[in-house]
PDB file of all heavy atoms in Angstrom:
ATOM      1  N   SER A  62     134.546 146.949 199.056  1.00 42.00           N
ATOM      2  CA  SER A  62     133.688 146.831 200.209  1.00 42.00           C
ATOM      3  C   SER A  62     134.460 145.845 201.211  1.00 42.00           C
ATOM      4  O   SER A  62     134.493 146.043 202.381  1.00 42.00           O
ATOM      5  CB  SER A  62     132.361 146.155 199.931  1.00 42.00           C
ATOM      6  OG  SER A  62     132.536 144.802 199.544  1.00 42.00           O
ATOM      7  N   THR A 111     148.699 131.810 151.376  1.00 92.00           N
ATOM      8  CA  THR A 111     149.983 132.458 150.901  1.00 92.00           C
ATOM      9  C   THR A 111     150.629 131.475 150.018  1.00 92.00           C
ATOM     10  O   THR A 111     151.307 131.798 148.954  1.00 92.00           O
ATOM     11  CB  THR A 111     150.988 132.800 151.943  1.00 92.00           C
ATOM     12  OG1 THR A 111     150.935 131.731 152.951  1.00 92.00           O
ATOM     13  CG2 THR A 111     150.547 134.141 152.686  1.00 92.00           C
ATOM     14  N   THR A 153     122.503 107.631 149.634  1.00 95.00           N
ATOM     15  CA  THR A 153     122.473 107.696 151.114  1.00 95.00           C
ATOM     16  C   THR A 153     121.197 108.388 151.592  1.00 95.00           C
ATOM     17  O   THR A 153     120.612 107.806 152.656  1.00 95.00           O
ATOM     18  CB  THR A 153     123.700 108.475 151.585  1.00 95.00           C
ATOM     19  OG1 THR A 153     124.809 108.001 150.933  1.00 95.00           O
ATOM     20  CG2 THR A 153     123.932 108.271 153.085  1.00 95.00           C
ATOM     21  N   ILE A 185     123.704 102.440 165.196  1.00 94.00           N
ATOM     22  CA  ILE A 185     123.944 103.705 164.503  1.00 94.00           C
ATOM     23  C   ILE A 185     124.896 104.663 165.246  1.00 94.00           C
ATOM     24  O   ILE A 185     125.836 105.130 164.593  1.00 94.00           O
ATOM     25  CB  ILE A 185     122.573 104.437 164.205  1.00 94.00           C
ATOM     26  CG1 ILE A 185     121.877 103.682 163.214  1.00 94.00           C
ATOM     27  CG2 ILE A 185     122.881 105.849 163.704  1.00 94.00           C
ATOM     28  CD1 ILE A 185     120.428 104.092 162.961  1.00 94.00           C
ATOM     29  N   GLN A 220     136.022  89.411 133.483  1.00 58.00           N
ATOM     30  CA  GLN A 220     135.678  90.608 134.113  1.00 58.00           C
ATOM     31  C   GLN A 220     134.447  90.375 134.942  1.00 58.00           C
ATOM     32  O   GLN A 220     133.851  91.466 135.435  1.00 58.00           O
ATOM     33  CB  GLN A 220     135.390  91.619 133.077  1.00 58.00           C
ATOM     34  CG  GLN A 220     136.537  92.209 132.133  1.00 58.00           C
ATOM     35  CD  GLN A 220     137.391  93.254 133.007  1.00 58.00           C
ATOM     36  OE1 GLN A 220     136.895  94.061 133.683  1.00 58.00           O
ATOM     37  NE2 GLN A 220     138.695  92.933 132.911  1.00 58.00           N
ATOM     38  N   SER A 248     137.021  87.226 126.709  1.00 72.00           N
ATOM     39  CA  SER A 248     137.812  86.124 126.912  1.00 72.00           C
ATOM     40  C   SER A 248     138.000  85.354 125.602  1.00 72.00           C
ATOM     41  O   SER A 248     138.640  84.313 125.610  1.00 72.00           O
ATOM     42  CB  SER A 248     137.336  85.076 127.931  1.00 72.00           C
ATOM     43  OG  SER A 248     135.950  84.834 127.828  1.00 72.00           O
ATOM     44  N   MET A 258     137.119  90.161 105.845  1.00 77.00           N
ATOM     45  CA  MET A 258     136.337  90.309 107.131  1.00 77.00           C
ATOM     46  C   MET A 258     135.892  91.577 107.369  1.00 77.00           C
ATOM     47  O   MET A 258     136.463  92.762 107.029  1.00 77.00           O
ATOM     48  CB  MET A 258     137.355  89.915 108.359  1.00 77.00           C
ATOM     49  CG  MET A 258     137.527  88.450 108.545  1.00 77.00           C
ATOM     50  SD  MET A 258     138.670  88.133 109.832  1.00 77.00           S
ATOM     51  CE  MET A 258     137.615  87.867 111.209  1.00 77.00           C
ATOM     52  N   ASP A 266     139.837 112.851 111.054  1.00 69.00           N
ATOM     53  CA  ASP A 266     139.322 114.302 110.993  1.00 69.00           C
ATOM     54  C   ASP A 266     139.992 114.870 109.679  1.00 69.00           C
ATOM     55  O   ASP A 266     140.540 114.259 108.886  1.00 69.00           O
ATOM     56  CB  ASP A 266     139.835 115.072 112.221  1.00 69.00           C
ATOM     57  CG  ASP A 266     141.292 115.057 112.428  1.00 69.00           C
ATOM     58  OD1 ASP A 266     141.979 114.850 111.468  1.00 69.00           O
ATOM     59  OD2 ASP A 266     141.671 115.426 113.457  1.00 69.00           O
ATOM     60  N   ASP A 295     146.552 101.642  95.976  1.00 75.00           N
ATOM     61  CA  ASP A 295     145.352 102.398  96.157  1.00 75.00           C
ATOM     62  C   ASP A 295     145.135 102.885  97.605  1.00 75.00           C
ATOM     63  O   ASP A 295     145.271 102.161  98.498  1.00 75.00           O
ATOM     64  CB  ASP A 295     144.119 101.419  95.662  1.00 75.00           C
ATOM     65  CG  ASP A 295     142.841 102.217  95.782  1.00 75.00           C
ATOM     66  OD1 ASP A 295     142.899 103.452  96.001  1.00 75.00           O
ATOM     67  OD2 ASP A 295     141.924 101.690  95.524  1.00 75.00           O
ATOM     68  N   LEU A 299     144.830 100.611 100.938  1.00 75.00           N
ATOM     69  CA  LEU A 299     145.955 100.740 101.869  1.00 75.00           C
ATOM     70  C   LEU A 299     145.465 101.004 103.211  1.00 75.00           C
ATOM     71  O   LEU A 299     145.941 100.459 104.211  1.00 75.00           O
ATOM     72  CB  LEU A 299     146.857 101.890 101.368  1.00 75.00           C
ATOM     73  CG  LEU A 299     148.233 102.016 102.048  1.00 75.00           C
ATOM     74  CD1 LEU A 299     149.021 100.766 101.926  1.00 75.00           C
ATOM     75  CD2 LEU A 299     148.917 103.222 101.581  1.00 75.00           C
ATOM     76  N   TYR A 318     126.337 103.579 130.202  1.00 80.00           N
ATOM     77  CA  TYR A 318     125.676 102.805 131.245  1.00 80.00           C
ATOM     78  C   TYR A 318     126.407 101.542 131.566  1.00 80.00           C
ATOM     79  O   TYR A 318     125.794 100.382 132.132  1.00 80.00           O
ATOM     80  CB  TYR A 318     124.202 102.437 130.716  1.00 80.00           C
ATOM     81  CG  TYR A 318     124.173 101.778 129.395  1.00 80.00           C
ATOM     82  CD1 TYR A 318     124.232 100.453 129.242  1.00 80.00           C
ATOM     83  CD2 TYR A 318     123.979 102.537 128.306  1.00 80.00           C
ATOM     84  CE1 TYR A 318     124.179  99.839 128.059  1.00 80.00           C
ATOM     85  CE2 TYR A 318     123.967 101.943 127.103  1.00 80.00           C
ATOM     86  CZ  TYR A 318     124.071 100.603 126.856  1.00 80.00           C
ATOM     87  OH  TYR A 318     124.048  99.888 125.659  1.00 80.00           O
ATOM     88  N   VAL A 328     133.874 104.403 140.223  1.00 92.00           N
ATOM     89  CA  VAL A 328     133.084 105.416 140.874  1.00 92.00           C
ATOM     90  C   VAL A 328     132.067 104.871 141.876  1.00 92.00           C
ATOM     91  O   VAL A 328     131.908 105.355 142.880  1.00 92.00           O
ATOM     92  CB  VAL A 328     132.443 106.258 139.797  1.00 92.00           C
ATOM     93  CG1 VAL A 328     131.576 107.297 140.394  1.00 92.00           C
ATOM     94  CG2 VAL A 328     133.442 107.015 138.871  1.00 92.00           C
ATOM     95  N   MET A 333     129.612 104.053 147.060  1.00 94.00           N
ATOM     96  CA  MET A 333     129.066 103.259 148.159  1.00 94.00           C
ATOM     97  C   MET A 333     129.782 103.231 149.406  1.00 94.00           C
ATOM     98  O   MET A 333     129.190 103.140 150.355  1.00 94.00           O
ATOM     99  CB  MET A 333     128.847 101.870 147.590  1.00 94.00           C
ATOM    100  CG  MET A 333     127.773 101.867 146.403  1.00 94.00           C
ATOM    101  SD  MET A 333     127.500 100.152 145.725  1.00 94.00           S
ATOM    102  CE  MET A 333     126.399  99.476 146.816  1.00 94.00           C
ATOM    103  N   MET A 336     129.036 106.212 151.094  1.00 95.00           N
ATOM    104  CA  MET A 336     127.629 106.126 151.678  1.00 95.00           C
ATOM    105  C   MET A 336     127.836 105.449 153.027  1.00 95.00           C
ATOM    106  O   MET A 336     127.069 106.021 154.024  1.00 95.00           O
ATOM    107  CB  MET A 336     126.801 105.241 150.772  1.00 95.00           C
ATOM    108  CG  MET A 336     125.478 104.707 151.415  1.00 95.00           C
ATOM    109  SD  MET A 336     124.558 103.769 150.296  1.00 95.00           S
ATOM    110  CE  MET A 336     125.169 102.194 150.620  1.00 95.00           C
ATOM    111  N   ARG A 359     101.551 116.259 164.814  1.00 93.00           N
ATOM    112  CA  ARG A 359     101.169 114.832 164.597  1.00 93.00           C
ATOM    113  C   ARG A 359      99.860 114.474 165.072  1.00 93.00           C
ATOM    114  O   ARG A 359      99.050 113.756 164.409  1.00 93.00           O
ATOM    115  CB  ARG A 359     102.245 113.969 165.166  1.00 93.00           C
ATOM    116  CG  ARG A 359     103.641 114.022 164.465  1.00 93.00           C
ATOM    117  CD  ARG A 359     104.621 112.940 165.082  1.00 93.00           C
ATOM    118  NE  ARG A 359     105.890 113.277 164.593  1.00 93.00           N
ATOM    119  CZ  ARG A 359     106.805 113.993 165.428  1.00 93.00           C
ATOM    120  NH1 ARG A 359     106.402 114.298 166.699  1.00 93.00           N
ATOM    121  NH2 ARG A 359     108.015 114.252 165.118  1.00 93.00           N
ATOM    122  N   PRO A 379     107.460 117.358 155.802  1.00 91.00           N
ATOM    123  CA  PRO A 379     107.569 118.664 155.287  1.00 91.00           C
ATOM    124  C   PRO A 379     108.122 119.656 156.308  1.00 91.00           C
ATOM    125  O   PRO A 379     108.873 120.538 156.017  1.00 91.00           O
ATOM    126  CB  PRO A 379     106.158 119.146 154.884  1.00 91.00           C
ATOM    127  CG  PRO A 379     105.421 117.751 154.616  1.00 91.00           C
ATOM    128  CD  PRO A 379     106.024 116.735 155.534  1.00 91.00           C
ATOM    129  N   GLY A 408     143.095 103.757 145.496  1.00 82.00           N
ATOM    130  CA  GLY A 408     144.587 103.772 145.402  1.00 82.00           C
ATOM    131  C   GLY A 408     144.992 105.060 144.705  1.00 82.00           C
ATOM    132  O   GLY A 408     144.154 105.908 144.281  1.00 82.00           O
ATOM    133  N   THR A 434     150.782 116.413 147.865  1.00 91.00           N
ATOM    134  CA  THR A 434     151.359 116.856 149.237  1.00 91.00           C
ATOM    135  C   THR A 434     152.476 115.819 149.429  1.00 91.00           C
ATOM    136  O   THR A 434     153.560 116.153 150.025  1.00 91.00           O
ATOM    137  CB  THR A 434     150.377 116.713 150.319  1.00 91.00           C
ATOM    138  OG1 THR A 434     149.326 117.678 150.016  1.00 91.00           O
ATOM    139  CG2 THR A 434     151.059 117.256 151.531  1.00 91.00           C
ATOM    140  N   HIS A 442     153.761 121.138 146.165  1.00 91.00           N
ATOM    141  CA  HIS A 442     153.086 121.663 147.363  1.00 91.00           C
ATOM    142  C   HIS A 442     152.324 122.811 147.127  1.00 91.00           C
ATOM    143  O   HIS A 442     151.300 123.124 147.691  1.00 91.00           O
ATOM    144  CB  HIS A 442     154.146 121.803 148.497  1.00 91.00           C
ATOM    145  CG  HIS A 442     154.875 120.512 148.863  1.00 91.00           C
ATOM    146  ND1 HIS A 442     156.104 120.497 149.567  1.00 91.00           N
ATOM    147  CD2 HIS A 442     154.554 119.367 148.575  1.00 91.00           C
ATOM    148  CE1 HIS A 442     156.430 119.321 149.776  1.00 91.00           C
ATOM    149  NE2 HIS A 442     155.549 118.521 149.209  1.00 91.00           N
TER     150      HIS A 442
END
Side-chain angles (χ1 to χ4, degrees):
Chain A
S62 73
T111 47
T153 317
I185 288 165
Q220 295 278 320
S248 48
M258 275 176 102
D266 62 14
D295 187 2
L299 187 60
Y318 56 84
V328 175
M333 292 181 82
M336 169 178 84
R359 290 187 196 99
T434 308
H442 297 164

